[in-house]
Each structure stands twice: as C-alpha cells, then as structure tokens.
PDB file of all heavy atoms in Angstrom:
ATOM      1  N   GLN A   1     236.180  78.187 204.821  1.00  0.00           N
ATOM      2  CA  GLN A   1     237.134  77.060 204.624  1.00  0.00           C
ATOM      3  C   GLN A   1     237.558  77.154 203.128  1.00  0.00           C
ATOM      4  O   GLN A   1     236.758  77.158 202.255  1.00  0.00           O
ATOM      5  CB  GLN A   1     236.464  75.714 204.863  1.00  0.00           C
ATOM      6  CG  GLN A   1     237.402  74.557 204.634  1.00  0.00           C
ATOM      7  CD  GLN A   1     236.781  73.236 205.058  1.00  0.00           C
ATOM      8  OE1 GLN A   1     236.449  73.026 206.209  1.00  0.00           O
ATOM      9  NE2 GLN A   1     236.624  72.358 204.073  1.00  0.00           N
ATOM     10  N   VAL A   2     238.876  77.242 202.907  1.00  0.00           N
ATOM     11  CA  VAL A   2     239.344  77.495 201.530  1.00  0.00           C
ATOM     12  C   VAL A   2     240.153  76.314 200.963  1.00  0.00           C
ATOM     13  O   VAL A   2     240.339  76.258 199.727  1.00  0.00           O
ATOM     14  CB  VAL A   2     240.195  78.763 201.514  1.00  0.00           C
ATOM     15  CG1 VAL A   2     239.406  79.972 201.829  1.00  0.00           C
ATOM     16  CG2 VAL A   2     241.426  78.634 202.429  1.00  0.00           C
ATOM     17  N   VAL A   3     240.574  75.409 201.804  1.00  0.00           N
ATOM     18  CA  VAL A   3     241.344  74.252 201.308  1.00  0.00           C
ATOM     19  C   VAL A   3     240.911  73.022 202.086  1.00  0.00           C
ATOM     20  O   VAL A   3     240.714  73.062 203.322  1.00  0.00           O
ATOM     21  CB  VAL A   3     242.863  74.470 201.509  1.00  0.00           C
ATOM     22  CG1 VAL A   3     243.626  73.170 201.262  1.00  0.00           C
ATOM     23  CG2 VAL A   3     243.409  75.550 200.585  1.00  0.00           C
ATOM     24  N   ALA A   4     240.806  71.892 201.386  1.00  0.00           N
ATOM     25  CA  ALA A   4     240.508  70.596 202.028  1.00  0.00           C
ATOM     26  C   ALA A   4     241.225  69.527 201.266  1.00  0.00           C
ATOM     27  O   ALA A   4     240.877  69.169 200.121  1.00  0.00           O
ATOM     28  CB  ALA A   4     239.018  70.342 202.036  1.00  0.00           C
ATOM     29  N   THR A   5     242.369  69.064 201.801  1.00  0.00           N
ATOM     30  CA  THR A   5     243.212  68.045 201.162  1.00  0.00           C
ATOM     31  C   THR A   5     243.493  66.941 202.144  1.00  0.00           C
ATOM     32  O   THR A   5     243.081  67.019 203.329  1.00  0.00           O
ATOM     33  CB  THR A   5     244.510  68.631 200.653  1.00  0.00           C
ATOM     34  OG1 THR A   5     245.329  69.028 201.766  1.00  0.00           O
ATOM     35  CG2 THR A   5     244.268  69.872 199.800  1.00  0.00           C
ATOM     36  N   ALA A   6     244.269  65.956 201.718  1.00  0.00           N
ATOM     37  CA  ALA A   6     244.661  64.887 202.621  1.00  0.00           C
ATOM     38  C   ALA A   6     245.530  65.417 203.759  1.00  0.00           C
ATOM     39  O   ALA A   6     245.617  64.838 204.816  1.00  0.00           O
ATOM     40  CB  ALA A   6     245.446  63.826 201.861  1.00  0.00           C
ATOM     41  N   GLY A   7     246.160  66.600 203.529  1.00  0.00           N
ATOM     42  CA  GLY A   7     246.975  67.198 204.567  1.00  0.00           C
ATOM     43  C   GLY A   7     246.215  67.999 205.580  1.00  0.00           C
ATOM     44  O   GLY A   7     246.766  68.557 206.529  1.00  0.00           O
ATOM     45  N   GLY A   8     244.897  68.149 205.380  1.00  0.00           N
ATOM     46  CA  GLY A   8     244.055  68.852 206.308  1.00  0.00           C
ATOM     47  C   GLY A   8     243.248  69.969 205.637  1.00  0.00           C
ATOM     48  O   GLY A   8     243.352  70.243 204.479  1.00  0.00           O
ATOM     49  N   LYS A   9     242.488  70.636 206.498  1.00  0.00           N
ATOM     50  CA  LYS A   9     241.606  71.747 206.044  1.00  0.00           C
ATOM     51  C   LYS A   9     242.230  73.041 206.506  1.00  0.00           C
ATOM     52  O   LYS A   9     242.745  73.152 207.599  1.00  0.00           O
ATOM     53  CB  LYS A   9     240.175  71.556 206.580  1.00  0.00           C
ATOM     54  CG  LYS A   9     239.454  70.320 206.070  1.00  0.00           C
ATOM     55  CD  LYS A   9     238.101  70.156 206.677  1.00  0.00           C
ATOM     56  CE  LYS A   9     238.178  69.736 208.124  1.00  0.00           C
ATOM     57  NZ  LYS A   9     236.835  69.386 208.680  1.00  0.00           N
ATOM     58  N   ILE A  10     242.052  74.082 205.679  1.00  0.00           N
ATOM     59  CA  ILE A  10     242.485  75.433 206.074  1.00  0.00           C
ATOM     60  C   ILE A  10     241.240  76.324 206.084  1.00  0.00           C
ATOM     61  O   ILE A  10     240.509  76.452 205.075  1.00  0.00           O
ATOM     62  CB  ILE A  10     243.499  76.015 205.093  1.00  0.00           C
ATOM     63  CG1 ILE A  10     244.735  75.112 205.002  1.00  0.00           C
ATOM     64  CG2 ILE A  10     243.891  77.429 205.457  1.00  0.00           C
ATOM     65  CD1 ILE A  10     245.760  75.588 203.991  1.00  0.00           C
ATOM     66  N   ARG A  11     241.019  76.951 207.253  1.00  0.00           N
ATOM     67  CA  ARG A  11     239.909  77.880 207.432  1.00  0.00           C
ATOM     68  C   ARG A  11     240.488  79.279 207.707  1.00  0.00           C
ATOM     69  O   ARG A  11     241.416  79.375 208.522  1.00  0.00           O
ATOM     70  CB  ARG A  11     239.018  77.416 208.578  1.00  0.00           C
ATOM     71  CG  ARG A  11     237.659  78.129 208.657  1.00  0.00           C
ATOM     72  CD  ARG A  11     236.838  77.488 209.749  1.00  0.00           C
ATOM     73  NE  ARG A  11     236.543  76.073 209.419  1.00  0.00           N
ATOM     74  CZ  ARG A  11     236.201  75.173 210.298  1.00  0.00           C
ATOM     75  NH1 ARG A  11     236.158  75.484 211.592  1.00  0.00           N
ATOM     76  NH2 ARG A  11     235.928  73.943 209.969  1.00  0.00           N
ATOM     77  N   LEU A  12     239.976  80.271 207.082  1.00  0.00           N
ATOM     78  CA  LEU A  12     240.485  81.639 207.209  1.00  0.00           C
ATOM     79  C   LEU A  12     239.433  82.623 207.657  1.00  0.00           C
ATOM     80  O   LEU A  12     238.231  82.443 207.389  1.00  0.00           O
ATOM     81  CB  LEU A  12     241.076  82.144 205.852  1.00  0.00           C
ATOM     82  CG  LEU A  12     242.095  81.286 205.148  1.00  0.00           C
ATOM     83  CD1 LEU A  12     242.438  81.903 203.804  1.00  0.00           C
ATOM     84  CD2 LEU A  12     243.353  81.114 205.972  1.00  0.00           C
ATOM     85  N   ASN A  13     239.886  83.674 208.339  1.00  0.00           N
ATOM     86  CA  ASN A  13     239.026  84.810 208.593  1.00  0.00           C
ATOM     87  C   ASN A  13     239.729  86.018 207.939  1.00  0.00           C
ATOM     88  O   ASN A  13     240.802  86.455 208.376  1.00  0.00           O
ATOM     89  CB  ASN A  13     238.842  85.064 210.072  1.00  0.00           C
ATOM     90  CG  ASN A  13     237.993  86.306 210.373  1.00  0.00           C
ATOM     91  OD1 ASN A  13     237.320  86.819 209.486  1.00  0.00           O
ATOM     92  ND2 ASN A  13     238.037  86.806 211.573  1.00  0.00           N
ATOM     93  N   VAL A  14     239.085  86.538 206.850  1.00  0.00           N
ATOM     94  CA  VAL A  14     239.661  87.663 206.147  1.00  0.00           C
ATOM     95  C   VAL A  14     238.629  88.785 206.167  1.00  0.00           C
ATOM     96  O   VAL A  14     237.480  88.558 205.713  1.00  0.00           O
ATOM     97  CB  VAL A  14     240.027  87.321 204.703  1.00  0.00           C
ATOM     98  CG1 VAL A  14     240.596  88.538 203.955  1.00  0.00           C
ATOM     99  CG2 VAL A  14     241.056  86.168 204.669  1.00  0.00           C
ATOM    100  N   GLN A  15     238.968  89.934 206.704  1.00  0.00           N
ATOM    101  CA  GLN A  15     238.074  91.082 206.762  1.00  0.00           C
ATOM    102  C   GLN A  15     238.705  92.255 206.089  1.00  0.00           C
ATOM    103  O   GLN A  15     239.807  92.672 206.449  1.00  0.00           O
ATOM    104  CB  GLN A  15     237.736  91.404 208.244  1.00  0.00           C
ATOM    105  CG  GLN A  15     237.121  90.225 208.992  1.00  0.00           C
ATOM    106  CD  GLN A  15     235.758  89.867 208.495  1.00  0.00           C
ATOM    107  OE1 GLN A  15     235.025  90.702 207.935  1.00  0.00           O
ATOM    108  NE2 GLN A  15     235.351  88.618 208.726  1.00  0.00           N
ATOM    109  N   ALA A  16     237.995  92.821 205.071  1.00  0.00           N
ATOM    110  CA  ALA A  16     238.460  93.987 204.335  1.00  0.00           C
ATOM    111  C   ALA A  16     239.916  93.821 203.837  1.00  0.00           C
ATOM    112  O   ALA A  16     240.742  94.720 203.873  1.00  0.00           O
ATOM    113  CB  ALA A  16     238.415  95.235 205.226  1.00  0.00           C
ATOM    114  N   GLY A  17     240.194  92.557 203.361  1.00  0.00           N
ATOM    115  CA  GLY A  17     241.510  92.315 202.754  1.00  0.00           C
ATOM    116  C   GLY A  17     242.571  91.966 203.789  1.00  0.00           C
ATOM    117  O   GLY A  17     243.700  91.642 203.382  1.00  0.00           O
ATOM    118  N   GLN A  18     242.263  92.018 205.061  1.00  0.00           N
ATOM    119  CA  GLN A  18     243.206  91.730 206.090  1.00  0.00           C
ATOM    120  C   GLN A  18     243.042  90.291 206.645  1.00  0.00           C
ATOM    121  O   GLN A  18     241.917  89.894 206.963  1.00  0.00           O
ATOM    122  CB  GLN A  18     243.139  92.710 207.258  1.00  0.00           C
ATOM    123  CG  GLN A  18     243.499  94.143 206.891  1.00  0.00           C
ATOM    124  CD  GLN A  18     244.978  94.248 206.513  1.00  0.00           C
ATOM    125  OE1 GLN A  18     245.846  93.885 207.283  1.00  0.00           O
ATOM    126  NE2 GLN A  18     245.237  94.725 205.307  1.00  0.00           N
ATOM    127  N   LEU A  19     244.090  89.536 206.726  1.00  0.00           N
ATOM    128  CA  LEU A  19     244.000  88.183 207.294  1.00  0.00           C
ATOM    129  C   LEU A  19     244.018  88.278 208.798  1.00  0.00           C
ATOM    130  O   LEU A  19     244.973  88.675 209.411  1.00  0.00           O
ATOM    131  CB  LEU A  19     245.221  87.377 206.834  1.00  0.00           C
ATOM    132  CG  LEU A  19     245.323  85.921 207.374  1.00  0.00           C
ATOM    133  CD1 LEU A  19     244.070  85.116 206.944  1.00  0.00           C
ATOM    134  CD2 LEU A  19     246.589  85.228 206.904  1.00  0.00           C
ATOM    135  N   MET A  20     242.877  87.895 209.386  1.00  0.00           N
ATOM    136  CA  MET A  20     242.716  87.978 210.857  1.00  0.00           C
ATOM    137  C   MET A  20     243.132  86.721 211.584  1.00  0.00           C
ATOM    138  O   MET A  20     243.437  86.749 212.761  1.00  0.00           O
ATOM    139  CB  MET A  20     241.280  88.302 211.223  1.00  0.00           C
ATOM    140  CG  MET A  20     240.730  89.601 210.577  1.00  0.00           C
ATOM    141  SD  MET A  20     241.760  91.032 210.938  1.00  0.00           S
ATOM    142  CE  MET A  20     241.739  91.044 212.713  1.00  0.00           C
ATOM    143  N   GLY A  21     243.182  85.596 210.873  1.00  0.00           N
ATOM    144  CA  GLY A  21     243.578  84.337 211.514  1.00  0.00           C
ATOM    145  C   GLY A  21     243.404  83.161 210.611  1.00  0.00           C
ATOM    146  O   GLY A  21     242.741  83.207 209.586  1.00  0.00           O
ATOM    147  N   ILE A  22     244.150  82.098 210.966  1.00  0.00           N
ATOM    148  CA  ILE A  22     244.121  80.843 210.183  1.00  0.00           C
ATOM    149  C   ILE A  22     243.842  79.681 211.119  1.00  0.00           C
ATOM    150  O   ILE A  22     244.388  79.623 212.238  1.00  0.00           O
ATOM    151  CB  ILE A  22     245.504  80.582 209.520  1.00  0.00           C
ATOM    152  CG1 ILE A  22     245.908  81.724 208.602  1.00  0.00           C
ATOM    153  CG2 ILE A  22     245.489  79.268 208.743  1.00  0.00           C
ATOM    154  CD1 ILE A  22     247.353  81.632 208.080  1.00  0.00           C
ATOM    155  N   ALA A  23     243.003  78.770 210.684  1.00  0.00           N
ATOM    156  CA  ALA A  23     242.810  77.520 211.401  1.00  0.00           C
ATOM    157  C   ALA A  23     243.274  76.380 210.513  1.00  0.00           C
ATOM    158  O   ALA A  23     242.757  76.220 209.394  1.00  0.00           O
ATOM    159  CB  ALA A  23     241.344  77.347 211.814  1.00  0.00           C
ATOM    160  N   ASP A  24     244.259  75.648 210.936  1.00  0.00           N
ATOM    161  CA  ASP A  24     244.788  74.487 210.201  1.00  0.00           C
ATOM    162  C   ASP A  24     244.264  73.245 210.944  1.00  0.00           C
ATOM    163  O   ASP A  24     244.623  73.042 212.091  1.00  0.00           O
ATOM    164  CB  ASP A  24     246.341  74.569 210.197  1.00  0.00           C
ATOM    165  CG  ASP A  24     246.926  73.599 209.153  1.00  0.00           C
ATOM    166  OD1 ASP A  24     246.168  73.068 208.336  1.00  0.00           O
ATOM    167  OD2 ASP A  24     248.164  73.428 209.152  1.00  0.00           O
ATOM    168  N   ILE A  25     243.437  72.507 210.269  1.00  0.00           N
ATOM    169  CA  ILE A  25     242.700  71.429 210.936  1.00  0.00           C
ATOM    170  C   ILE A  25     243.040  70.108 210.233  1.00  0.00           C
ATOM    171  O   ILE A  25     242.881  69.950 209.024  1.00  0.00           O
ATOM    172  CB  ILE A  25     241.183  71.642 210.858  1.00  0.00           C
ATOM    173  CG1 ILE A  25     240.836  73.045 211.417  1.00  0.00           C
ATOM    174  CG2 ILE A  25     240.437  70.583 211.677  1.00  0.00           C
ATOM    175  CD1 ILE A  25     239.454  73.526 211.013  1.00  0.00           C
ATOM    176  N   VAL A  26     243.483  69.141 211.020  1.00  0.00           N
ATOM    177  CA  VAL A  26     243.816  67.811 210.442  1.00  0.00           C
ATOM    178  C   VAL A  26     243.215  66.692 211.281  1.00  0.00           C
ATOM    179  O   VAL A  26     243.153  66.781 212.500  1.00  0.00           O
ATOM    180  CB  VAL A  26     245.377  67.659 210.408  1.00  0.00           C
ATOM    181  CG1 VAL A  26     245.969  67.708 211.806  1.00  0.00           C
ATOM    182  CG2 VAL A  26     245.782  66.409 209.693  1.00  0.00           C
ATOM    183  N   PRO A  27     242.714  65.672 210.600  1.00  0.00           N
ATOM    184  CA  PRO A  27     242.164  64.494 211.314  1.00  0.00           C
ATOM    185  C   PRO A  27     243.262  63.823 212.109  1.00  0.00           C
ATOM    186  O   PRO A  27     244.403  63.684 211.636  1.00  0.00           O
ATOM    187  CB  PRO A  27     241.649  63.572 210.185  1.00  0.00           C
ATOM    188  CG  PRO A  27     241.464  64.484 209.009  1.00  0.00           C
ATOM    189  CD  PRO A  27     242.504  65.516 209.135  1.00  0.00           C
ATOM    190  N   MET A  28     242.967  63.381 213.294  1.00  0.00           N
ATOM    191  CA  MET A  28     243.958  62.669 214.107  1.00  0.00           C
ATOM    192  C   MET A  28     244.478  61.413 213.394  1.00  0.00           C
ATOM    193  O   MET A  28     245.629  61.077 213.525  1.00  0.00           O
ATOM    194  CB  MET A  28     243.351  62.316 215.507  1.00  0.00           C
ATOM    195  CG  MET A  28     242.892  63.501 216.293  1.00  0.00           C
ATOM    196  SD  MET A  28     244.251  64.603 216.766  1.00  0.00           S
ATOM    197  CE  MET A  28     245.007  63.675 218.113  1.00  0.00           C
ATOM    198  N   SER A  29     243.573  60.828 212.634  1.00  0.00           N
ATOM    199  CA  SER A  29     243.949  59.610 211.895  1.00  0.00           C
ATOM    200  C   SER A  29     245.037  59.915 210.845  1.00  0.00           C
ATOM    201  O   SER A  29     245.924  59.044 210.562  1.00  0.00           O
ATOM    202  CB  SER A  29     242.753  59.016 211.168  1.00  0.00           C
ATOM    203  OG  SER A  29     242.194  59.944 210.294  1.00  0.00           O
ATOM    204  N   ALA A  30     245.071  61.121 210.301  1.00  0.00           N
ATOM    205  CA  ALA A  30     246.094  61.489 209.307  1.00  0.00           C
ATOM    206  C   ALA A  30     247.486  61.531 209.921  1.00  0.00           C
ATOM    207  O   ALA A  30     248.486  61.319 209.214  1.00  0.00           O
ATOM    208  CB  ALA A  30     245.713  62.818 208.657  1.00  0.00           C
TER     209      ALA A  30
END
C-alpha cells in the first residue's frame, strides 16, 4: 500500500520494476 488519503488507498503490485496491477480502495462512506 503506497498511498492513504481522504480520496482512498492505493495498493500496488510491482515486480522487477514492472507494474502488475493497481488496487484503488475507497470507503463507501467517502
């Protein structure tokens, strides 16, 4: 997890410098 703000959390999977995927997670309340 690399970012956590009021706009939500960003979780990444990076392997050997390659971005394999992004998870953008936000509370339903937001």
Side-chain angles (χ1 to χ4, degrees):
Q1 180 175 297
V2 295
V3 170
T5 68
K9 295 177 287 188
I10 300 175
R11 192 175 297 158
L12 306 176
N13 178 17
V14 180
Q15 302 294 334
Q18 294 296 302
L19 178 60
M20 302 306 302
I22 303 170
D24 195 9
I25 308 163
V26 61
M28 298 297 282
S29 58

